[in-house]
Amino acid sequence: MEPKRGDSEAVLAWKQRMGSEEGKQIYKERAATSETVNADLRSYRGLSQFTVRGLQKAKCVALWCALAYNLMHFGHA
């Protein structure tokens, strides 16, 4: 990835890591695990826009969504 004007040192280091073969492998693993959870929560569990205000309430909604996901996917085990 090419550096852009205004990129911080942290962003440059991240771009360098993600451009390496190890970074590409990590991103591939993430796509198969974390991103499917995010897509499921947005599509089927209603975690696209919070209808509550405040950090504690938003955290509660996110935890309920995570619990619903875990029960649906791992409850049979």
Side-chain angles (χ1 to χ4, degrees), residues 37-63:
V37 174
N38 291 336
D40 183 277
L41 290 175
R42 286 177 160 255
S43 300
Y44 305 114
R45 313 278 173 247
L47 194 64
S48 57
Q49 185 175 10
F50 289 105
T51 56
V52 296
R53 290 180 183 240
L55 185 59
Q56 288 181 326
K57 291 178 184 177
K59 183 178 179 180
C60 183
V61 170
L63 289 173

Side-chain angles (χ1 to χ4, degrees), residues 6-34:
D7 281 351
S8 67
E9 290 296 321
V11 170
L12 291 173
W14 172 80
K15 285 183 177 183
Q16 187 175 12
R17 272 195 322 272
M18 294 314 290
S20 69
E21 287 303 316
E22 183 181 4
K24 290 176 184 177
Q25 183 62 33
I26 289 170
Y27 197 76
K28 191 182 292 187
E29 290 172 13
R30 177 192 162 128
T33 55
S34 302

